[in-house]
């Protein structure tokens, strides 16, 4: 009887181990939601686009993506949560260029290494930020803008959506290459910048290419140049800084990331799925509506190289301008 009970116990244990092994071998993703950490506040442009993207990606991989906003510290809080997540493919991150590239240089005490602890999965879009002036500013071209600033070096300041933001870096690149002098006024987001432009408290700013569209269309803002490598979909008459003779080839981008030890097979599945989403006609239309160029299709390694190039380019500007966290 005792031997029978032992034999039964062995059979039960074997069955449990077999079931457990089969369960653990079940391919990703299993039937459980995927948390998508967004390193910005709810309701903003990044959050809005992240939710559209999450819905599309979820349909491709057959799984629900649940967005969780973790804003703060120029994206540092959300990015750190991504870096510290379990590398099981059920916690991913949606973030944008400045949160990684600027933080690499502006914050010497980062709790993570942006190039080692955050694993690039796929780039999601590319585009530039727009240099704008108000109708009261006495220039309608970039060349005349430079002449006016040089003629009145103490008269003007410019706004961007934060210290180390893409707009801040782009203007510092312009300053370094043209010799103009402009005081930076960092705002806590694009919307407050637009409000002060509309109210006449600010005449010059770098703004993103999406939320500025209504004011540009209404004539409340005059676009002079775009910082990206290509002209935007809805401002095709606005030249890039490169076209204007400056050396600045940095696009703003969104990206999908995971923790460093995420399995290569999961990374590849996600990259393939994301690139499928980016080719979807509805997504291409959405990119056009957001005034972004058609998204580049990249492998994880190509996206990793883009990040490395941007870190190098932005780092040179940040160090030359002595930009630091205030």
């Amino acid at each position: 009887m005792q031997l029978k009970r032992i034999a039964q116990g062995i059979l039960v244990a074997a069955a449990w181990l077999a079931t457990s092994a089969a369960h653990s071998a079940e391919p990703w993703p299993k039937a459980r939601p995927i948390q998508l950490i967004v390193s910005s506040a709810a309701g903003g442009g990044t959050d809005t686009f992240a939710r559209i993207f999450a819905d599309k990606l979820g349909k491709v991989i057959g799984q629900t993506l649940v967005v969780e906003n973790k804003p703060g510290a120029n994206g540092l809080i959300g990015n750190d949560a991504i870096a510290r997540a379990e590398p099981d493919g059920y916690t991913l991150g949606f973030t944008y260029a400045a949160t990684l590239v600027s933080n690499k240089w502006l914050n010497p005490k980062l709790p993570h290494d942006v190039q080692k602890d955050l694993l690039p999965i796929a780039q999601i879009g590319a585009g530039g930020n727009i240099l704008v002036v108000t109708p009261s500013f006495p220039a309608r071209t970039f060349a005349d803008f430079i002449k006016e600033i040089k003629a009145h070096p103490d008269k003007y300041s410019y706004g961007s959506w934060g210290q180390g933001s893409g707009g801040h870096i782009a203007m510092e690149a312009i300053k370094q290459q043209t010799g103009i002098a402009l005081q930076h006024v960092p705002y806590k987001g694009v919307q407050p910048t637009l409000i002060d432009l509309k109210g006449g408290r600010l005449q010059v700013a770098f703004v993103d290419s999406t939320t500025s569209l209504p004011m540009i269309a209404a004539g409340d803002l005059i676009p002079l140049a775009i910082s990206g490598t290509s002209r935007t979909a809805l401002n095709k008459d606005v030249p890039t800084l490169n076209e204007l003779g400056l050396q600045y080839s940095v696009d703003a981008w969104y990206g999908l990331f995971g923790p460093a030890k995420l399995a290569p097979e999961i990374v590849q599945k996600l990259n393939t799925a994301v690139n499928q989403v980016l080719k979807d006609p509805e997504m291409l239309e959405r990119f056009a509506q957001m005034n972004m160029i058609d998204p580049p299709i990249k492998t994880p390694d190509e996206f990793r190289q883009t990040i490395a190039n941007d870190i190098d380019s932005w780092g040179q500007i940040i160090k030359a301008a002595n930009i630091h966290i205030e």
Side-chain angles (χ1 to χ4, degrees), residues 37 39 70 75-87 91-93 111-119 257-262:
I37 296 173
S39 301
K70 288 185 178 292
L76 172 60
I77 293 174
N79 291 349
D80 195 53
I82 300 164
R84 295 177 184 276
E86 286 294 323
T91 301
L92 305 172
H112 58 264
D113 187 317
V114 299
Q115 289 177 283
K116 294 180 180 179
D117 300 328
L118 287 164
L119 193 153
F257 291 82
K261 294 182 180 180
L262 188 61

Side-chain angles (χ1 to χ4, degrees), residues 106 114 137 155 175 217 259 304:
L106 296 180
V114 299
F137 189 88
K155 184 176 180 180
K175 289 168 61 177
R304 181 181 290 105

Side-chain angles (χ1 to χ4, degrees), residues 166-224:
H168 184 194
I169 302 304
M171 182 61 89
E172 292 303 317
I174 294 172
K175 289 168 61 177
Q176 291 169 20
Q177 295 184 47
T178 63
I180 62 173
L182 273 173
Q183 183 68 33
H184 179 225
V185 181
Y187 286 78
K188 293 182 178 180
V190 175
Q191 286 297 340
T193 312
L194 294 173
I195 289 171
D196 272 10
L197 286 165
K198 178 72 173 178
R201 292 174 289 277
L202 188 67
Q203 289 183 282
V204 181
F206 255 103
V207 293
D208 75 284
S209 61
T210 301
T211 54
S212 60
L213 278 174
M215 289 183 64
I216 291 174
D220 295 324
L221 293 177
I222 312 298
L224 302 182

Side-chain angles (χ1 to χ4, degrees), residues 109-172:
K109 296 182 179 180
L110 282 176
H112 58 264
D113 187 317
V114 299
Q115 289 177 283
K116 294 180 180 179
D117 300 328
L118 287 164
L119 193 153
I121 297 172
Q123 181 172 326
I124 307 168
N129 299 304
I130 301 180
L131 171 62
V132 296
V133 296
T134 59
S136 62
F137 189 88
R140 293 295 179 271
T141 67
F142 183 78
D144 288 343
F145 167 80
I146 298 298
K147 291 178 182 178
E148 174 66 15
I149 299 298
K150 285 186 173 180
H152 304 92
D154 300 320
K155 184 176 180 180
Y156 301 103
S157 58
Y158 78 96
S160 83
W161 59 96
Q163 194 79 354
S165 66
H168 184 194
I169 302 304
M171 182 61 89
E172 292 303 317

Side-chain angles (χ1 to χ4, degrees), residues 244-293:
L244 293 166
L246 277 71
Q247 300 298 314
Y248 192 79
S249 300
V250 178
D251 279 314
W253 43 257
Y254 295 123
L256 184 68
F257 291 82
K261 294 182 180 180
L262 188 61
E265 58 269 22
I266 296 178
V267 173
Q268 188 54 56
K269 284 183 179 180
L270 281 166
N271 179 266
T272 300
V274 170
N275 288 338
Q276 181 178 334
V277 168
L278 297 182
K279 295 175 184 177
D280 183 282
E282 291 184 15
M283 282 300 291
L284 291 173
E285 177 63 25
R286 176 65 67 171
F287 274 102
Q289 291 171 355
M290 294 179 69
N291 206 20
M292 298 172 68
I293 63 175

Side-chain angles (χ1 to χ4, degrees), residues 20-42:
S20 178
H23 181 72
S24 63
E26 186 180 347
W28 179 94
K30 302 174 186 177
R32 55 181 285 198
I34 296 172
Q35 180 189 31
L36 184 67
I37 296 173
V38 178
S39 301
S40 60

